[in-house]
Amino acid sequence: MINFLSLKSINSQYSNELKDACSRVIDSGWYIMGPELEAFESEFAQYCGTEYAIGVANGLDALVLTIRAWKELGKLNVGDEVIVPANTYIASILAISENGLTPVLVEPDEETLNISPTNIRAAITDKTKAILPVHLYGLICPMPQIMEIAQEFELLVLEDCAQAHGANMDGKKVGSWAHAGAFSFYPGKNLGALGDAGAIVTNDNELANVIRALRNYGSHRKYENQYKGVNSRLDEIQAAMLRVKLKHLDAETARRQQIAAKYLIGLATVEQIKLPTVNNQNEHVWHLFVIQTDCRQDLADHLLNSGVQTLIHYPIAPHAQQAYASEFDGYDLPITERIHSQVLSLPIDPTMSDIDVDFIISSIKQFYKS
Ligand SMILES: *Cc1c(COP(=O)(O)O)cnc(C)c1O
């Protein structure tokens, strides 16, 4: 069986380093808000090319707390509109509604499946105060155009980087383009902890300070609470695991890019599937390799029978989720709905062998021949 993603094979590559780091934390006697977190924050900020990184408990909190901090700073208010891609993972949208702001859904570009600058422009109203682009599947959004629109209309921009650690345009990485970037280190993400974790990166000192307080009960100084904060800290063990994993991230990304290149060449002749598009190798870190097909279920069944596990990201669009009941009733989102009915994610585990990749390619070709 070729699994969709084997966390065990990924982490066992670094087993000794991870165990050493774990022992270091156990023996230190310091488990929350200590030297490992401080070191990880500084190493991750340096990796992203930003001044600051602030560790939090998970990726959703990274998004929620950034918006919350902008509210505390008076830059956003309840009822403001935030433009967000309609075909994102629901977390991006939850972070907006959780803060009492209004998500405004826009359709993606049909080629890249990322948010379309043209559609952003068309969605701007008097109430629009921010844009939340998502680097979906690992592909960086058209950030130069998005930042230009933001400047023109004086909007804040928060990048959802949960799927795109290290993706860049001419060396400028995700998270460093906008006013802030939110990351998830959920175990299955490209940079994954061995549990839940997340971070915000920014060059804005004031924003960083408010988020640092919010993640720790709204307190800058013990027992003095400036804000009604939350408990969303990244603990020492996970910070230590992430310091090990960060050192190997670029090598894992390079392997993902190799596998993607093999798929793109191997499947180029299969007319019945639409392959992902990419202009420049560094722009895509291939969190997911997503194809589009009219006969998704039959192909997925065929692959499973051949011993290949696939997944769907995502089967139900956020606007169609029960959680949002009728909130998005006025929307017409044909592209998003088509995407959700046609996408299929092929395995792109950095520990997969070339033999596995070739096998998946030939199984897909065999399906379309018969
Ligand atoms: C995974 C993910 C998140 C949330 O991260 P968690 O750590 O699971 O809370 C947010 N946005 C996107 C696009 C994601 O893929």
Side-chain angles (χ1 to χ4, degrees):
M1 184 73 173
I2 302 175
N3 290 315
F4 185 73
L5 181 69
S6 169
L7 294 177
K8 185 174 168 176
S9 8
I10 291 175
N11 289 323
S12 66
Q13 302 174 97
Y14 322 120
S15 182
N16 290 336
E17 278 179 90
L18 291 168
K19 284 173 184 163
D20 286 350
C22 203
S23 302
R24 188 171 73 226
V25 176
I26 294 169
D27 295 344
S28 77
W30 194 304
Y31 307 115
I32 298 272
M33 303 285 270
E36 297 290 339
L37 176 62
E38 239 173 71
F40 174 67
E41 286 178 337
S42 133
E43 288 157 11
F44 192 63
Q46 186 174 11
Y47 179 82
C48 294
T50 57
E51 286 286 319
Y52 313 102
I54 307 105
V56 293
N58 54 65
L60 175 59
D61 280 3
L63 293 162
V64 169
L65 294 180
T66 305
I67 297 174
R68 173 76 195 277
W70 277 329
K71 281 163 65 187
E72 297 293 349
L73 288 165
K75 294 185 175 181
L76 290 179
N77 289 293
V78 168
D80 287 347
E81 292 180 356
V82 182
I83 294 175
V84 63
N87 60 319
T88 182
Y89 178 57
I90 198 163
S92 329
I93 297 170
L94 287 173
I96 301 167
S97 48
E98 164 75 20
N99 274 293
L101 280 70
T102 306
V104 172
L105 311 181
V106 304
E107 291 259 73
D109 176 276
E110 283 197 85
E111 270 313 303
T112 65
L113 307 190
N114 266 338
I115 196 164
S116 141
T118 313
N119 294 344
I120 291 177
R121 234 171 228 287
I124 292 173
T125 72
D126 290 347
K127 286 186 177 168
T128 308
K129 290 288 160 358
I131 309 172
L132 203 164
V134 181
H135 308 297
L136 202 65
Y137 306 147
L139 176 67
I140 190 169
C141 290
M143 290 314 293
Q145 290 93 308
I146 292 172
M147 295 315 294
E148 204 179 290
I149 297 171
Q151 215 162 17
E152 188 180 331
F153 294 91
E154 293 179 30
L155 307 175
L156 291 166
V157 181
L158 168 57
E159 295 171 66
D160 184 337
C161 307
Q163 302 190 356
H165 315 70
N168 66 85
M169 269 183 205
D170 302 322
K172 192 167 167 59
K173 287 183 176 149
V174 295
S176 72
W177 286 84
H179 303 98
F183 286 86
S184 164
F185 308 120
Y186 178 79
K189 299 290 159 88
N190 285 27
L191 177 59
L194 276 65
D196 273 316
I200 297 100
V201 298
T202 183
N203 292 320
D204 181 341
N205 182 35
E206 196 179 30
L207 176 69
N209 275 330
V210 177
I211 295 171
R212 274 190 208 104
L214 286 174
R215 74 172 170 188
N216 192 25
Y217 293 107
S219 169
H220 282 296
R221 216 183 295 168
K222 208 165 188 181
Y223 306 128
E224 289 179 25
N225 302 81
Q226 199 169 339
Y227 311 102
K228 296 181 189 108
V230 298
N231 175 352
S232 181
R233 299 175 298 225
L234 198 175
D235 64 65
E236 290 287 286
I237 292 262
Q238 292 309 334
M241 301 297 98
L242 285 164
R243 291 182 69 196
V244 171
K245 299 283 300 280
L246 180 59
K247 283 192 270 179
H248 301 286
L249 175 60
D250 285 346
E252 283 193 11
T253 299
R255 178 61 188 149
R256 285 175 187 270
Q257 287 166 339
Q258 267 178 1
I259 296 170
K262 270 181 90 62
Y263 275 138
L264 290 172
I265 294 167
L267 296 171
T269 54
V270 186
E271 281 163 18
Q272 297 92 331
I273 59 181
K274 184 163 165 41
L275 292 169
T277 49
V278 58
N279 296 323
N280 178 315
Q281 165 161 299
N282 296 327
E283 294 179 8
H284 211 321
V285 294
W286 301 103
H287 174 55
L288 297 169
F289 191 94
V290 177
I291 62 171
Q292 296 171 69
T293 162
D294 287 334
C295 43
R296 168 170 79 187
Q297 195 54 53
D298 291 342
L299 177 59
D301 291 345
H302 167 82
L303 286 170
L304 195 61
N305 289 333
S306 323
V308 178
Q309 192 190 11
T310 58
L311 291 176
I312 294 168
H313 300 91
Y314 300 90
I316 305 172
H319 71 273
Q321 296 285 355
Q322 200 184 337
Y324 283 107
S326 54
E327 268 176 69
F328 298 119
D329 273 2
Y331 281 89
D332 183 28
L333 300 163
I335 300 174
T336 296
E337 277 170 14
R338 184 188 55 72
I339 289 170
H340 284 76
S341 70
Q342 295 190 341
V343 287
L344 184 69
S345 306
L346 304 181
I348 188 155
D349 177 327
T351 64
M352 273 166 78
S353 68
D354 282 353
I355 294 169
D356 287 344
V357 184
D358 289 335
F359 177 78
I360 295 168
I361 293 169
S362 64
S363 301
I364 293 173
K365 285 183 159 169
Q366 186 197 16
F367 172 80
Y368 283 108
K369 249 178 237 156
S370 56

Coordinates of all heavy atoms in Angstrom, one line a residue, residues 58-60 63 89 91-92 134 160 162-163 184 186 189 314, ligand 1:
N58 N -1.6 26.6 17.6 CA -2.0 25.9 16.3 C -2.2 27.0 15.2 O -2.1 28.2 15.5 CB -3.2 25.1 16.5 CG -4.4 25.9 17.1 OD1 -4.9 26.9 16.4 ND2 -4.8 25.6 18.3
G59 N -2.4 26.5 14.0 CA -2.5 27.5 12.9 C -3.8 28.3 12.9 O -3.8 29.5 12.5
L60 N -4.9 27.7 13.4 CA -6.1 28.5 13.5 C -5.9 29.6 14.5 O -6.3 30.8 14.2 CB -7.3 27.6 13.9 CG -8.6 28.3 14.2 CD1 -9.1 29.0 13.0 CD2 -9.7 27.3 14.7
L63 N -4.1 32.6 13.0 CA -5.0 33.5 12.2 C -5.9 34.3 13.1 O -6.0 35.5 13.0 CB -5.9 32.7 11.3 CG -5.2 31.9 10.1 CD1 -6.1 30.8 9.5 CD2 -4.8 32.9 9.0
Y89 N -9.4 26.1 2.9 CA -9.8 25.3 4.0 C -10.5 26.2 5.0 O -10.2 27.3 5.2 CB -8.5 24.7 4.7 CG -8.8 23.9 5.9 CD1 -9.7 22.8 5.8 CD2 -8.3 24.2 7.2 CE1 -10.0 22.0 6.9 CE2 -8.6 23.4 8.3 CZ -9.5 22.4 8.2 OH -9.8 21.6 9.3
A91 N -10.6 26.9 8.0 CA -9.9 27.6 9.1 C -9.8 29.1 8.8 O -9.9 29.9 9.7 CB -8.6 27.0 9.4
S92 N -9.4 29.4 7.5 CA -9.2 30.8 7.1 C -10.5 31.6 7.4 O -10.4 32.8 7.8 CB -8.8 30.9 5.7 OG -8.1 29.8 5.2
V134 N -4.7 32.9 0.7 CA -4.3 31.6 1.2 C -3.4 31.0 0.1 O -3.8 30.9 -1.0 CB -5.5 30.7 1.4 CG1 -5.0 29.3 2.0 CG2 -6.5 31.3 2.4
D160 N -2.3 33.4 4.8 CA -2.5 32.1 5.4 C -1.4 31.2 4.8 O -1.6 30.8 3.6 CB -3.9 31.6 5.2 CG -4.1 30.2 5.9 OD1 -3.2 29.5 6.1 OD2 -5.3 29.9 6.2
A162 N -0.3 28.3 6.0 CA -0.4 26.9 6.6 C 0.0 25.8 5.7 O 0.5 24.8 6.1 CB -1.8 26.7 7.1
Q163 N -0.1 26.0 4.3 CA 0.2 25.0 3.4 C 1.5 25.3 2.6 O 1.8 24.5 1.6 CB -1.0 24.7 2.4 CG -2.2 24.4 3.2 CD -3.4 23.9 2.3 OE1 -3.2 23.9 1.0 NE2 -4.5 23.5 2.8
S184 N 0.7 27.1 10.3 CA 0.3 25.9 11.1 C 1.5 24.9 11.0 O 2.1 24.7 10.0 CB -0.9 25.2 10.5 OG -1.0 23.9 11.0
Y186 N 0.8 21.7 12.2 CA 0.1 20.5 12.3 C 1.0 19.4 11.8 O 1.7 19.6 10.8 CB -1.2 20.6 11.6 CG -2.1 19.4 11.5 CD1 -3.0 19.1 12.6 CD2 -2.2 18.6 10.4 CE1 -3.8 18.1 12.5 CE2 -3.0 17.5 10.3 CZ -3.8 17.3 11.4 OH -4.7 16.2 11.3
K189 N 1.5 19.0 8.0 CA 1.9 20.2 7.1 C 3.4 20.0 6.7 O 4.1 19.2 7.2 CB 1.8 21.5 7.9 CG 0.3 21.7 8.3 CD -0.6 22.1 7.1 CE -2.1 21.8 7.4 NZ -2.8 22.9 7.9
Y314 N -11.0 20.0 -1.0 CA -11.8 19.4 0.1 C -13.1 19.0 -0.5 O -13.6 19.6 -1.5 CB -12.0 20.5 1.2 CG -10.6 20.9 1.7 CD1 -9.9 22.0 1.1 CD2 -10.0 20.2 2.8 CE1 -8.6 22.3 1.6 CE2 -8.8 20.6 3.3 CZ -8.1 21.6 2.7 OH -6.8 21.9 3.1
Ligands
LIG1 C1 -4.1 23.5 8.3 C2 -4.6 24.8 8.0 C3 -5.0 25.7 8.9 C4 -5.1 25.5 10.4 O1 -4.1 24.9 11.0 P1 -4.2 24.1 12.4 O2 -2.9 24.0 12.9 O3 -4.8 22.8 12.0 O4 -5.2 24.9 13.3 C5 -5.4 27.0 8.4 N1 -5.4 27.3 7.1 C6 -5.1 26.4 6.2 C7 -5.1 26.8 4.8 C8 -4.7 25.1 6.6 O5 -4.4 24.2 5.6

